[in-house]
Coordinates of all heavy atoms in Angstrom, one line a residue:
M1 N 0.8 -1.2 0.0 CA 0.0 0.0 0.0 C 0.9 1.2 0.0 O 1.9 1.3 0.7 CB -0.9 0.0 1.2 CG -1.8 1.2 1.3 SD -2.8 1.3 2.8 CE -4.3 0.7 2.2
T2 N 0.5 2.2 -0.8 CA 1.3 3.5 -0.9 C 0.3 4.6 -0.5 O -0.9 4.4 -0.4 CB 1.8 3.7 -2.3 OG1 0.7 3.9 -3.2 CG2 2.7 2.6 -2.8
A3 N 0.9 5.8 -0.4 CA 0.1 7.0 -0.1 C -0.9 7.2 -1.2 O -2.0 7.8 -1.0 CB 1.0 8.2 0.1
L4 N -0.5 6.8 -2.5 CA -1.4 7.0 -3.6 C -2.7 6.2 -3.4 O -3.7 6.5 -3.9 CB -0.7 6.6 -4.9 CG 0.3 7.6 -5.4 CD1 1.1 7.1 -6.6 CD2 -0.3 8.9 -5.8
D5 N -2.6 5.0 -2.7 CA -3.7 4.2 -2.4 C -4.8 4.9 -1.6 O -6.0 4.6 -1.6 CB -3.4 2.9 -1.7 CG -2.5 2.0 -2.6 OD1 -2.6 2.1 -3.9 OD2 -1.7 1.2 -2.1
L6 N -4.3 5.9 -0.8 CA -5.2 6.7 0.0 C -5.7 8.0 -0.7 O -6.4 8.8 -0.2 CB -4.5 7.1 1.3 CG -4.3 6.0 2.3 CD1 -3.5 6.5 3.5 CD2 -5.6 5.4 2.8
G7 N -5.2 8.2 -1.9 CA -5.5 9.4 -2.7 C -4.6 10.5 -2.4 O -4.9 11.7 -2.6
L8 N -3.4 10.3 -1.8 CA -2.4 11.3 -1.4 C -1.2 11.2 -2.3 O -0.9 10.2 -2.8 CB -1.9 11.1 0.0 CG -2.9 11.3 1.1 CD1 -2.3 11.0 2.5 CD2 -3.3 12.8 1.2
R9 N -0.6 12.4 -2.5 CA 0.7 12.4 -3.2 C 1.7 13.1 -2.3 O 1.4 14.0 -1.5 CB 0.5 13.3 -4.4 CG -0.3 12.7 -5.5 CD -0.5 13.6 -6.7 NE -1.2 14.9 -6.4 CZ -2.4 15.1 -6.1 NH1 -3.3 14.0 -6.2 NH2 -2.9 16.3 -5.9
P10 N 3.0 12.6 -2.3 CA 4.0 13.3 -1.5 C 4.1 14.7 -1.9 O 4.0 15.1 -3.1 CB 5.3 12.5 -1.9 CG 4.8 11.2 -2.4 CD 3.5 11.4 -3.0
G11 N 4.2 15.6 -0.9 CA 4.2 17.0 -1.1 C 2.8 17.7 -1.0 O 2.8 18.9 -1.0
E12 N 1.8 16.9 -0.9 CA 0.4 17.4 -0.8 C 0.2 18.0 0.7 O 0.7 17.4 1.6 CB -0.6 16.3 -1.0 CG -2.0 16.8 -1.1 CD -3.0 15.8 -1.6 OE1 -2.5 14.7 -1.9 OE2 -4.2 16.1 -1.7
V13 N -0.5 19.1 0.7 CA -0.8 19.8 2.0 C -2.0 19.1 2.7 O -3.0 18.9 2.0 CB -1.0 21.3 1.8 CG1 -1.4 21.9 3.1 CG2 0.2 22.0 1.2
V14 N -1.8 18.8 3.9 CA -2.9 18.2 4.7 C -3.0 19.0 6.1 O -2.1 19.8 6.3 CB -2.7 16.7 5.0 CG1 -2.7 15.9 3.8 CG2 -1.4 16.5 5.8
R15 N -4.0 18.7 6.8 CA -4.0 19.3 8.2 C -4.4 18.2 9.2 O -5.0 17.2 8.8 CB -5.0 20.5 8.2 CG -6.5 20.2 8.2 CD -7.3 21.5 8.4 NE -8.7 21.1 8.5 CZ -9.6 22.0 8.8 NH1 -9.3 23.3 9.0 NH2 -10.9 21.7 9.0
F16 N -4.0 18.5 10.4 CA -4.1 17.5 11.5 C -4.3 18.2 12.8 O -3.9 19.3 12.9 CB -3.0 16.5 11.5 CG -1.6 17.1 11.8 CD1 -1.2 17.2 13.1 CD2 -0.9 17.7 10.8 CE1 0.0 17.8 13.4 CE2 0.3 18.3 11.0 CZ 0.8 18.4 12.3
R17 N -4.8 17.4 13.8 CA -4.8 17.9 15.2 C -3.9 17.0 16.0 O -3.8 15.8 15.8 CB -6.2 17.8 15.7 CG -7.2 18.7 15.1 CD -8.5 18.6 15.8 NE -9.4 19.7 15.3 CZ -10.7 19.7 15.5 NH1 -11.3 18.8 16.2 NH2 -11.4 20.7 15.0
R18 N -3.1 17.7 16.8 CA -2.1 17.0 17.7 C -2.9 16.2 18.7 O -2.4 15.1 19.2 CB -1.1 17.9 18.3 CG -0.2 18.5 17.3 CD 0.9 19.4 17.9 NE 1.7 19.9 16.8 CZ 2.3 21.0 16.8 NH1 2.2 21.8 17.9 NH2 3.1 21.4 15.8
R19 N -4.0 16.7 19.2 CA -4.8 16.0 20.2 C -6.3 16.3 19.9 O -6.6 17.3 19.2 CB -4.4 16.3 21.6 CG -4.5 17.8 21.9 CD -4.0 18.1 23.3 NE -3.5 19.4 23.5 CZ -2.3 19.9 23.1 NH1 -1.5 19.1 22.6 NH2 -2.0 21.1 23.3
A20 N -7.2 15.5 20.3 CA -8.6 15.7 20.1 C -9.0 17.1 20.6 O -8.7 17.4 21.8 CB -9.4 14.6 20.7
G21 N -9.7 17.8 19.8 CA -10.2 19.1 20.2 C -9.2 20.2 20.1 O -9.5 21.4 20.4
G22 N -8.0 19.9 19.7 CA -6.9 20.9 19.6 C -7.1 21.7 18.3 O -8.0 21.6 17.5
H23 N -6.1 22.6 18.1 CA -6.1 23.5 16.9 C -5.6 22.7 15.7 O -4.9 21.7 15.9 CB -5.2 24.7 17.1 CG -5.6 25.6 18.1 ND1 -6.6 26.5 18.0 CD2 -5.2 25.8 19.4 CE1 -6.8 27.2 19.1 NE2 -5.9 26.8 20.0
W24 N -6.1 23.0 14.5 CA -5.6 22.4 13.3 C -4.2 22.9 13.0 O -3.9 24.1 13.1 CB -6.6 22.7 12.2 CG -7.9 22.0 12.3 CD1 -9.1 22.5 12.6 CD2 -8.1 20.6 12.0 NE1 -10.0 21.5 12.6 CE2 -9.5 20.3 12.2 CE3 -7.3 19.5 11.6 CZ2 -10.0 19.1 12.0 CZ3 -7.9 18.3 11.4 CH2 -9.2 18.1 11.6
H25 N -3.4 22.0 12.5 CA -2.0 22.4 12.0 C -1.9 21.8 10.6 O -2.3 20.7 10.3 CB -1.0 21.7 12.9 CG -1.1 22.2 14.4 ND1 -0.5 23.3 14.8 CD2 -1.7 21.6 15.4 CE1 -0.8 23.5 16.1 NE2 -1.5 22.4 16.5
E26 N -1.2 22.6 9.8 CA -1.0 22.1 8.4 C 0.4 21.4 8.3 O 1.3 21.7 9.1 CB -1.0 23.3 7.4 CG -2.4 23.8 7.2 CD -2.5 24.8 6.0 OE1 -1.5 24.9 5.3 OE2 -3.5 25.4 5.9
G27 N 0.5 20.5 7.4 CA 1.7 19.8 7.2 C 1.8 19.3 5.7 O 0.8 19.5 5.0
V28 N 2.8 18.6 5.4 CA 3.1 18.1 4.0 C 3.3 16.6 4.1 O 4.1 16.1 4.9 CB 4.3 18.8 3.4 CG1 4.6 18.3 2.0 CG2 4.1 20.3 3.4
V29 N 2.6 15.9 3.2 CA 2.7 14.4 3.2 C 4.1 14.0 2.7 O 4.6 14.6 1.7 CB 1.7 13.9 2.2 CG1 1.9 12.4 2.0 CG2 0.3 14.2 2.7
A30 N 4.7 13.1 3.4 CA 6.1 12.6 3.0 C 6.0 11.2 2.5 O 6.7 10.7 1.7 CB 7.0 12.7 4.2
G31 N 5.0 10.4 3.0 CA 4.9 9.0 2.6 C 4.0 8.2 3.5 O 3.3 8.8 4.4
L32 N 4.0 6.9 3.4 CA 3.2 6.0 4.1 C 4.0 5.0 4.9 O 5.0 4.5 4.3 CB 2.2 5.3 3.2 CG 1.1 4.5 3.8 CD1 0.1 5.4 4.5 CD2 0.3 3.7 2.8
E33 N 3.7 4.8 6.1 CA 4.5 3.8 6.9 C 4.0 2.4 6.8 O 2.8 2.2 6.3 CB 4.4 4.2 8.4 CG 5.0 5.6 8.7 CD 6.5 5.6 8.5 OE1 7.2 4.6 8.7 OE2 7.0 6.6 8.0
K34 N 4.7 1.4 7.2 CA 4.3 0.0 7.1 C 3.0 -0.3 7.9 O 2.2 -1.2 7.5 CB 5.4 -0.9 7.6 CG 6.6 -1.0 6.7 CD 7.7 -1.9 7.2 CE 8.9 -1.9 6.3 NZ 9.9 -2.7 6.8
D35 N 2.8 0.4 9.0 CA 1.6 0.2 9.8 C 0.3 0.9 9.2 O -0.7 0.8 9.8 CB 1.8 0.6 11.2 CG 2.1 2.1 11.4 OD1 2.1 2.8 10.4 OD2 2.2 2.5 12.6
G36 N 0.5 1.6 8.1 CA -0.7 2.3 7.5 C -0.8 3.8 7.9 O -1.6 4.5 7.3
S37 N 0.1 4.2 8.8 CA 0.0 5.6 9.1 C 0.7 6.5 8.1 O 1.5 6.0 7.3 CB 0.7 5.9 10.5 OG 2.0 5.5 10.5
V38 N 0.3 7.8 8.0 CA 0.9 8.7 7.0 C 1.9 9.5 7.7 O 1.7 10.1 8.8 CB -0.3 9.6 6.5 CG1 0.3 10.5 5.4 CG2 -1.4 8.7 5.9
T39 N 3.1 9.6 7.1 CA 4.2 10.5 7.6 C 3.9 11.9 7.1 O 3.8 12.1 5.8 CB 5.6 10.0 7.1 OG1 5.7 8.7 7.6 CG2 6.7 10.9 7.7
V40 N 3.9 12.9 8.0 CA 3.6 14.2 7.7 C 4.7 15.1 8.3 O 5.0 14.9 9.5 CB 2.2 14.7 8.2 CG1 2.0 16.2 8.0 CG2 1.1 13.8 7.6
H41 N 5.2 16.1 7.6 CA 6.2 17.0 8.1 C 5.4 18.3 8.4 O 4.7 18.9 7.5 CB 7.3 17.3 7.1 CG 8.2 16.2 6.9 ND1 9.3 16.0 7.8 CD2 8.2 15.2 6.0 CE1 9.9 14.9 7.4 NE2 9.3 14.4 6.3
D42 N 5.4 18.8 9.7 CA 4.7 20.0 10.0 C 5.5 21.2 9.5 O 6.6 21.1 8.9 CB 4.4 20.1 11.5 CG 5.6 20.1 12.4 OD1 6.7 20.4 11.9 OD2 5.4 19.9 13.6
L43 N 5.0 22.4 9.8 CA 5.6 23.6 9.3 C 7.0 23.9 9.9 O 7.8 24.6 9.3 CB 4.7 24.8 9.4 CG 3.4 24.7 8.7 CD1 2.5 25.9 8.9 CD2 3.6 24.5 7.2
D44 N 7.3 23.3 11.0 CA 8.6 23.4 11.7 C 9.6 22.4 11.2 O 10.7 22.4 11.6 CB 8.4 23.3 13.2 CG 7.6 24.4 13.8 OD1 7.7 25.5 13.3 OD2 6.9 24.1 14.8
G45 N 9.1 21.4 10.3 CA 10.0 20.4 9.8 C 10.0 19.1 10.6 O 10.6 18.1 10.2
A46 N 9.2 19.0 11.7 CA 9.2 17.8 12.5 C 8.3 16.8 11.8 O 7.3 17.1 11.2 CB 8.6 18.1 13.8
A47 N 8.8 15.5 11.8 CA 8.0 14.4 11.1 C 7.1 13.8 12.1 O 7.4 13.6 13.3 CB 9.0 13.4 10.6
R48 N 5.9 13.5 11.7 CA 4.9 12.8 12.5 C 4.2 11.7 11.7 O 4.0 11.8 10.5 CB 3.8 13.8 12.9 CG 4.2 15.0 13.6 CD 3.1 16.0 13.9 NE 3.6 17.2 14.5 CZ 3.9 17.3 15.8 NH1 3.7 16.2 16.6 NH2 4.3 18.4 16.3
S49 N 3.9 10.6 12.4 CA 3.2 9.5 11.8 C 1.8 9.5 12.4 O 1.6 9.3 13.6 CB 3.9 8.2 12.1 OG 5.1 8.1 11.4
L50 N 0.9 9.8 11.5 CA -0.5 9.9 11.9 C -1.4 8.9 11.3 O -1.2 8.7 10.1 CB -1.0 11.4 11.6 CG -0.2 12.5 12.2 CD1 -0.5 13.8 11.5 CD2 -0.5 12.6 13.7
P51 N -2.4 8.4 12.0 CA -3.4 7.5 11.3 C -4.2 8.3 10.3 O -4.5 9.5 10.6 CB -4.2 7.0 12.5 CG -4.1 8.0 13.6 CD -2.7 8.6 13.4
P52 N -4.7 7.7 9.2 CA -5.4 8.4 8.2 C -6.7 9.1 8.8 O -7.2 10.1 8.3 CB -5.8 7.4 7.2 CG -4.8 6.3 7.4 CD -4.4 6.4 8.8
E53 N -7.3 8.5 9.9 CA -8.5 9.1 10.5 C -8.3 10.5 11.1 O -9.2 11.2 11.3 CB -9.0 8.2 11.6 CG -9.4 6.8 11.1 CD -8.2 5.8 10.9 OE1 -7.2 6.0 11.6 OE2 -8.4 4.9 10.1
R54 N -7.0 10.9 11.3 CA -6.7 12.2 11.9 C -6.3 13.2 10.9 O -6.0 14.3 11.3 CB -5.6 12.0 13.0 CG -6.1 11.3 14.2 CD -5.2 11.2 15.3 NE -4.5 12.5 15.7 CZ -3.4 12.6 16.3 NH1 -2.8 11.5 16.7 NH2 -2.9 13.7 16.6
L55 N -6.4 12.9 9.6 CA -6.0 13.8 8.6 C -7.1 14.4 7.8 O -8.1 13.6 7.6 CB -5.0 13.2 7.6 CG -3.7 12.7 8.2 CD1 -2.9 12.0 7.2 CD2 -2.9 13.9 8.7
E56 N -7.0 15.6 7.3 CA -8.0 16.2 6.4 C -7.2 16.7 5.2 O -6.0 17.1 5.3 CB -8.8 17.3 7.0 CG -9.7 16.8 8.0 CD -10.7 17.9 8.5 OE1 -10.6 19.0 8.1 OE2 -11.7 17.5 9.2
V57 N -7.8 16.6 4.0 CA -7.1 17.1 2.8 C -7.9 18.2 2.2 O -9.1 18.3 2.3 CB -7.0 15.9 1.8 CG1 -6.0 14.9 2.2 CG2 -8.3 15.3 1.5
R58 N -7.2 19.1 1.5 CA -7.8 20.2 0.8 C -8.4 19.8 -0.5 O -7.9 19.0 -1.2 CB -6.7 21.3 0.6 CG -7.3 22.6 0.1 CD -6.3 23.7 0.0 NE -5.6 23.9 1.2 CZ -4.5 24.6 1.4 NH1 -3.9 25.1 0.3 NH2 -3.9 24.7 2.6
T59 N -9.6 20.3 -0.7 CA -10.4 19.9 -1.9 C -11.2 21.1 -2.3 O -11.2 22.2 -1.6 CB -11.3 18.7 -1.6 OG1 -11.9 18.3 -2.9 CG2 -12.3 18.9 -0.6
R60 N -12.0 21.0 -3.3 CA -12.8 22.1 -3.8 C -14.3 21.7 -3.6 O -14.7 20.5 -3.8 CB -12.6 22.3 -5.3 CG -11.3 22.8 -5.6 CD -11.3 24.3 -5.7 NE -9.9 24.8 -6.0 CZ -9.5 25.9 -5.6 NH1 -10.3 26.7 -4.9 NH2 -8.3 26.3 -5.8
G61 N -15.1 22.6 -3.2 CA -16.5 22.4 -3.0 C -17.3 22.4 -4.3 O -16.6 22.6 -5.4
R62 N -18.6 22.3 -4.3 CA -19.4 22.2 -5.5 C -19.2 23.5 -6.3 O -19.3 23.5 -7.5 CB -20.8 22.0 -5.2 CG -21.1 20.6 -4.6 CD -22.5 20.3 -4.5 NE -23.2 21.3 -3.7 CZ -24.4 21.4 -3.4 NH1 -25.2 20.4 -3.9 NH2 -24.9 22.3 -2.7
R63 N -19.0 24.6 -5.7 CA -18.9 25.9 -6.4 C -17.5 26.3 -6.5 O -17.2 27.5 -6.9 CB -19.8 26.9 -5.7 CG -21.2 26.6 -5.7 CD -22.0 27.7 -5.1 NE -23.4 27.3 -5.1 CZ -24.4 28.2 -5.0 NH1 -24.1 29.4 -4.8 NH2 -25.6 27.8 -5.0
G64 N -16.5 25.5 -6.2 CA -15.1 25.8 -6.4 C -14.4 26.4 -5.2 O -13.2 26.6 -5.3
A65 N -15.1 26.6 -4.2 CA -14.5 27.2 -3.0 C -13.6 26.1 -2.3 O -14.0 24.9 -2.2 CB -15.5 27.7 -2.0
P66 N -12.4 26.5 -1.8 CA -11.6 25.5 -1.1 C -12.2 25.1 0.2 O -12.9 25.9 0.9 CB -10.3 26.2 -0.9 CG -10.6 27.6 -1.1 CD -11.8 27.8 -1.9
R67 N -12.1 23.8 0.6 CA -12.6 23.3 1.8 C -11.7 22.1 2.2 O -10.9 21.6 1.4 CB -14.1 22.9 1.7 CG -14.4 21.8 0.8 CD -15.9 21.5 0.8 NE -16.1 20.3 0.0 CZ -16.3 19.1 0.6 NH1 -16.3 18.9 1.9 NH2 -16.5 18.0 -0.2
W68 N -11.9 21.6 3.5 CA -11.2 20.5 4.0 C -12.1 19.3 4.1 O -13.3 19.5 4.4 CB -10.6 20.8 5.4 CG -9.5 21.8 5.3 CD1 -9.7 23.2 5.5 CD2 -8.2 21.6 5.0 NE1 -8.5 23.8 5.4 CE2 -7.5 22.9 5.0 CE3 -7.4 20.5 4.6 CZ2 -6.2 23.0 4.8 CZ3 -6.1 20.6 4.4 CH2 -5.4 21.9 4.5
E69 N -11.6 18.1 3.8 CA -12.4 16.9 3.8 C -11.6 15.8 4.5 O -10.4 15.7 4.3 CB -12.7 16.5 2.3 CG -13.4 15.2 2.2 CD -13.6 14.8 0.8 OE1 -12.7 15.1 -0.1 OE2 -14.6 14.1 0.5
P70 N -12.2 15.0 5.4 CA -11.5 13.9 6.0 C -10.9 13.0 5.0 O -11.5 12.6 4.0 CB -12.6 13.2 6.8 CG -13.7 14.2 7.0 CD -13.6 15.1 5.8
L71 N -9.6 12.6 5.2 CA -8.9 11.7 4.3 C -9.7 10.4 4.1 O -9.7 9.9 2.9 CB -7.5 11.5 4.8 CG -6.7 10.4 4.0 CD1 -6.5 10.9 2.5 CD2 -5.3 10.2 4.6
V72 N -10.2 9.8 5.1 CA -10.9 8.5 4.9 C -12.1 8.6 4.0 O -12.4 7.6 3.3 CB -11.2 7.9 6.3 CG1 -10.0 7.5 7.1 CG2 -12.1 8.8 7.1
R73 N -12.8 9.7 4.0 CA -13.9 9.9 3.1 C -13.4 10.0 1.7 O -14.0 9.4 0.8 CB -14.7 11.2 3.5 CG -15.9 11.3 2.6 CD -16.7 12.5 2.9 NE -17.0 12.6 4.4 CZ -17.3 13.7 5.0 NH1 -17.3 14.9 4.3 NH2 -17.6 13.7 6.3
R74 N -12.3 10.7 1.4 CA -11.8 10.9 0.1 C -11.2 9.5 -0.4 O -11.4 9.1 -1.5 CB -10.7 11.9 0.1 CG -10.1 12.1 -1.3 CD -9.3 13.3 -1.4 NE -7.9 13.0 -1.8 CZ -7.0 13.9 -2.0 NH1 -7.2 15.2 -1.7 NH2 -5.8 13.5 -2.4
A75 N -10.5 8.8 0.5 CA -9.9 7.5 0.1 C -11.0 6.5 -0.3 O -10.8 5.7 -1.2 CB -9.1 7.0 1.2
G76 N -12.1 6.5 0.4 CA -13.2 5.6 0.0 C -13.8 5.9 -1.3 O -14.4 5.1 -2.0
R77 N -13.8 7.2 -1.7 CA -14.4 7.6 -3.0 C -13.4 7.6 -4.2 O -13.8 7.6 -5.3 CB -14.9 9.1 -2.8 CG -15.7 9.6 -3.9 CD -16.2 11.0 -3.7 NE -15.1 11.9 -3.7 CZ -14.8 12.7 -2.6 NH1 -15.5 12.6 -1.6 NH2 -13.7 13.5 -2.7
E78 N -12.1 7.4 -3.9 CA -11.1 7.5 -5.0 C -11.1 6.3 -5.9 O -10.3 6.2 -6.8 CB -9.7 7.8 -4.4 CG -9.6 9.2 -3.9 CD -9.4 10.2 -4.9 OE1 -8.9 9.9 -6.0 OE2 -9.9 11.3 -4.7
E79 N -11.8 5.2 -5.5 CA -11.7 4.0 -6.3 C -12.2 4.2 -7.7 O -13.3 4.7 -7.9 CB -12.5 2.9 -5.6 CG -12.4 1.5 -6.3 CD -13.1 0.5 -5.5 OE1 -13.4 0.7 -4.3 OE2 -13.3 -0.6 -6.1
Q80 N -11.4 3.8 -8.6 CA -11.8 3.9 -10.1 C -12.0 2.5 -10.6 O -11.1 1.7 -10.6 CB -10.7 4.6 -10.8 CG -10.9 4.7 -12.3 CD -12.0 5.6 -12.7 OE1 -12.2 6.6 -12.0 NE2 -12.8 5.3 -13.7
L81 N -13.2 2.2 -11.1 CA -13.4 0.9 -11.6 C -12.9 0.8 -13.1 O -12.9 1.7 -13.8 CB -14.9 0.6 -11.7 CG -15.6 0.6 -10.3 CD1 -17.1 0.4 -10.5 CD2 -15.0 -0.5 -9.4
T82 N -12.4 -0.4 -13.4 CA -11.8 -0.5 -14.8 C -13.0 -0.9 -15.7 O -14.0 -1.4 -15.3 CB -10.8 -1.7 -14.8 OG1 -11.4 -2.9 -14.3 CG2 -9.6 -1.4 -13.9
L83 N -12.8 -0.5 -16.9 CA -13.7 -0.8 -18.0 C -13.2 -2.0 -18.8 O -12.1 -2.0 -19.2 CB -13.9 0.4 -18.9 CG -14.5 1.7 -18.2 CD1 -14.5 2.8 -19.3 CD2 -15.9 1.4 -17.7
W84 N -14.0 -3.0 -18.9 CA -13.7 -4.2 -19.6 C -12.2 -4.3 -19.9 O -11.5 -4.4 -20.7 CB -14.5 -4.4 -20.9 CG -16.0 -4.5 -20.5 CD1 -16.6 -5.6 -20.0 CD2 -17.0 -3.5 -20.6 NE1 -17.9 -5.3 -19.8 CE2 -18.2 -4.0 -20.2 CE3 -17.0 -2.2 -21.1 CZ2 -19.3 -3.3 -20.2 CZ3 -18.1 -1.5 -21.0 CH2 -19.3 -2.0 -20.6

């Protein structure tokens, strides 16, 4: 499994909370660990391994406005079925 399997690309901006109910912090995706967690570098350069459930990714709303979406929701929708 790679970060691409979750719909992420290295260098993509994500946001996360260090603890439940805390402030959102932005970071950059570096890769995927063997245990399924995502390696993220925060703005200070520190690396963190976070479960996909704690990450949100930037996306566009129906009218084009930027918004944040939980990674697990996007990963579930990214599946592309093959045609014959």
